Amino acid sequence: MVFPAVQSTNISRSSQGGHSISQLCGSSQAKDNMNLAKVSQVQSASKCLHQVLRLATLQRANLRSLTVRASVAAPERRQESVSKQSPESLTITQPDDWHLHLRDGPAMQSCVQHSAAQFGRAIIMPNLKPPVVSTEDAIQYRQRILSALPKDTPFQPLMTLYLTDKTTADEIRKAKESGIVYAVKLYPAGATTNSAAGVTSLDKCMAALEAMVEHGLPLLVHGEVTDPSVDIFDRERLFLDRVLAPLLARLPDLRCVVEHATTKEAVEFVRSQDATRVGATVTPQHLLLNRNALFQGGVRPHHFCLPILKREEHREALLGAVTSGSPQFFLGTDSAPHERGTKEAPCGCAGCFSAHAALELYATAFEEVGALDKLEGFASFFGPDFYRLPRNSKKVTLRRQTWTVPDEYPFATGTVVPLFAGRELGWSLQQST
Ligand SMILES: NC(=O)N[C@@H](CC(=O)O)C(=O)O
């Protein structure tokens, strides 16, 4: 299996503006009408959404997708029903972030505290320049992360190795024995930010992959083909068929995470696999935004990430998956900060920074479909269960409190523009004292 390089994407300067989620996710009139018809059928049958939700507990599988569609098609009604049934605060077991880019040096020093304030642990992505290819690199990087935090901060970085054509079985053994490396990341060469040193052919990695099976280290997959002739919106779907399915068939005991799943095909693919073997992380941006958000009134470079935002039907499938209670879907922000000027540029970098408000953003998405009760499993239980680690014991509380996301945060010698910059969020994470 070979991964040819992807062409670069041009991104122009644009300003951030305030738009509601429903504006950014607008669906077609025909679809709205169809969905409104469904809503009215539901309402006449059960009189109010409260009754629908009670019914949904009995017939959850069938009614879940209907509830999601209703919420997208009728935002006003959604607001009304959500506020009736939503709590003022939500206390859950402390979550972890199973997909995080922390960068290095001054950039890392300016962003790591955002994640440490939200999460107990995080899987740290290895796509530095140069990448984290050896156990020794991972040990040193982990030390730099811990040194950037105030002493006794309980945040635990869980390190990963960057798979290359040259990764040896012996390096995998060392990684496992180190006790600080929890997974190995596959970047097809050229697929995304700092992936130039990634894998050009899985055939070259078989010894390392077999060693991962032997030592029980999962493979974390950036699942996009890199063939520049493939439409950017199809790259994840084709990767699953052409690369991941054959790999899983070739190595039946390899465990793997489809990172930042973005499509209904990815949801179906993950669901079709053994739940203890294949999981998926889902980002806040893919739950809250569809591809219209890339072009809302002009090009929006701060909504550009890879895999790219998809159509509304895919966002709905992701919302359905994360609120289904399935242990295969767990929290991974893919928070990927880039200095403002490198995104607002003729060829802007891919990556959304979400660590500043990760839980608040996820709570917003779950509340949109009346599924706040499903947040704790997704955010705090299913990730550690998949990685066979203990769940956290500490609790955190989200309060219903409106705040405005700052336009930017300090980042290295410049600034980073956070997801939802300048917009209001209705939930606020209480800092523990
Ligand atoms: N998600 C992104 O768009 N960018 C990530 C890399 C990645 O995970 O693809 C980054 O490191 O900037």
Side-chain angles (χ1 to χ4, degrees):
M1 213 65 65
V2 180
F3 306 113
V6 75
Q7 282 168 339
S8 55
T9 308
N10 286 328
I11 298 294
S12 1
R13 175 176 289 270
S14 84
S15 62
Q16 290 280 92
H19 294 276
S20 68
I21 294 165
S22 53
Q23 276 175 303
L24 289 169
C25 296
S27 32
S28 73
Q29 190 61 49
K31 193 171 169 197
D32 281 0
N33 290 342
M34 204 175 74
N35 287 328
L36 282 168
K38 284 181 186 162
V39 171
S40 66
Q41 280 167 17
V42 169
Q43 284 184 328
S44 61
S46 48
K47 295 281 187 271
C48 69
L49 189 55
H50 181 68
Q51 280 166 289
V52 172
L53 289 173
R54 272 181 43 210
L55 194 58
T57 57
L58 298 173
Q59 296 183 334
R60 188 168 291 281
N62 288 337
L63 282 184
R64 170 63 64 200
S65 69
L66 188 56
T67 312
V68 170
R69 284 169 189 282
S71 74
V72 171
E76 308 77 18
R77 213 161 324 186
R78 175 181 77 227
Q79 284 308 329
E80 193 192 330
S81 58
V82 160
S83 59
K84 268 189 206 146
Q85 52 123 30
S86 290
E88 285 308 297
S89 76
L90 188 65
T91 297
I92 60 171
T93 302
Q94 181 167 42
D96 305 298
D97 185 350
W98 300 96
H99 186 131
L100 177 63
H101 298 271
L102 275 186
R103 314 306 189 202
D104 206 353
M108 184 256 288
Q109 300 204 350
S110 46
C111 68
V112 63
Q113 89 275 1
H114 291 285
S115 296
Q118 295 241 338
F119 298 109
R121 296 166 285 197
I123 282 279
I124 309 299
M125 288 296 145
N127 61 332
L128 303 181
K129 267 183 172 165
V132 179
V133 292
S134 70
T135 307
E136 195 46 44
D137 292 343
I139 291 170
Q140 287 176 15
Y141 183 30
R142 178 174 177 274
Q143 203 45 55
R144 294 196 296 279
I145 295 168
L146 292 174
S147 308
L149 287 164
K151 206 168 174 297
D152 300 328
T153 305
F155 180 72
Q156 286 177 51
L158 310 178
M159 309 311 290
T160 59
L161 290 194
Y162 185 111
L163 189 66
T164 73
D165 292 350
K166 298 199 170 109
T167 307
T168 62
D170 197 44
E171 194 58 59
I172 299 297
R173 179 191 53 77
K174 278 191 212 150
K176 179 66 183 182
E177 285 173 2
S178 74
I180 59 120
V181 175
Y182 289 82
V184 177
K185 180 72 188 281
L186 163 63
Y187 290 102
T192 187
T193 307
N194 298 348
S195 62
V199 171
T200 63
S201 163
L202 276 177
D203 290 339
K204 297 186 177 162
C205 303
M206 287 318 287
L209 292 165
E210 279 161 8
M212 288 165 58
V213 173
E214 184 187 341
H215 297 290
L217 280 180
L219 180 70
L220 312 183
V221 175
H222 183 109
E224 290 191 286
V225 294
T226 54
D227 179 347
S229 69
V230 173
D231 190 286
I232 190 168
F233 294 99
D234 295 333
R235 288 180 188 174
E236 180 178 275
R237 181 170 59 79
L238 292 185
F239 182 92
L240 300 172
D241 287 350
R242 290 184 187 172
V243 183
L244 194 53
L247 177 66
L248 292 176
R250 194 167 171 185
L251 293 174
D253 293 323
L254 182 69
R255 299 178 71 236
C256 120
V257 180
V258 177
E259 297 294 338
H260 38 50
T262 64
T263 53
K264 67 175 194 245
E265 289 84 3
V267 168
E268 282 156 17
F269 180 88
V270 170
R271 282 190 189 284
S272 73
Q273 303 292 322
D274 173 354
T276 61
R277 185 181 177 212
V278 178
T281 54
V282 184
T283 78
Q285 65 266 26
H286 292 103
L287 292 175
L288 288 164
L289 305 172
N290 66 29
R291 66 188 197 173
N292 286 349
L294 289 164
F295 306 109
Q296 186 74 36
V299 176
R300 301 300 191 116
H302 299 289
H303 290 156
F304 174 52
C305 63
L306 289 171
I308 199 159
L309 296 173
K310 302 293 192 304
R311 282 180 182 278
E312 177 63 12
E313 65 181 315
H314 297 290
R315 186 182 84 93
E316 292 176 18
L318 293 172
L319 273 171
V322 299
T323 59
S324 68
S326 161
Q328 287 179 283
F329 299 92
F330 40 89
L331 187 157
T333 61
D334 188 23
S335 179
H338 291 272
E339 199 278 318
R340 181 175 201 133
T342 64
K343 284 191 70 73
E344 297 175 6
C347 183
C349 297
C352 296
F353 176 61
S354 59
H356 63 294
L359 275 181
E360 292 92 331
L361 290 161
Y362 281 113
T364 305
F366 276 64
E367 184 167 56
E368 183 192 346
V369 289
L372 279 172
D373 60 322
K374 298 288 189 231
L375 183 62
E376 185 175 38
F378 170 79
S380 313
F381 295 162
F382 305 149
D385 295 354
F386 182 88
Y387 278 86
R388 300 172 178 163
L389 293 169
R391 296 175 179 178
N392 292 324
S393 50
K394 197 179 142 186
K395 301 276 180 196
V396 299
T397 298
L398 282 158
R399 288 209 193 286
R400 188 176 294 289
Q401 193 173 65
T402 301
W403 61 290
T404 304
V405 176
D407 290 336
E408 54 186 13
Y409 287 98
F411 185 67
T413 55
T415 60
V416 58
V417 176
L419 194 63
F420 276 40
R423 292 170 58 185
E424 283 190 346
L425 284 174
W427 289 98
S428 172
L429 181 67
Q430 302 301 289
Q431 295 308 323
S432 27
T433 44

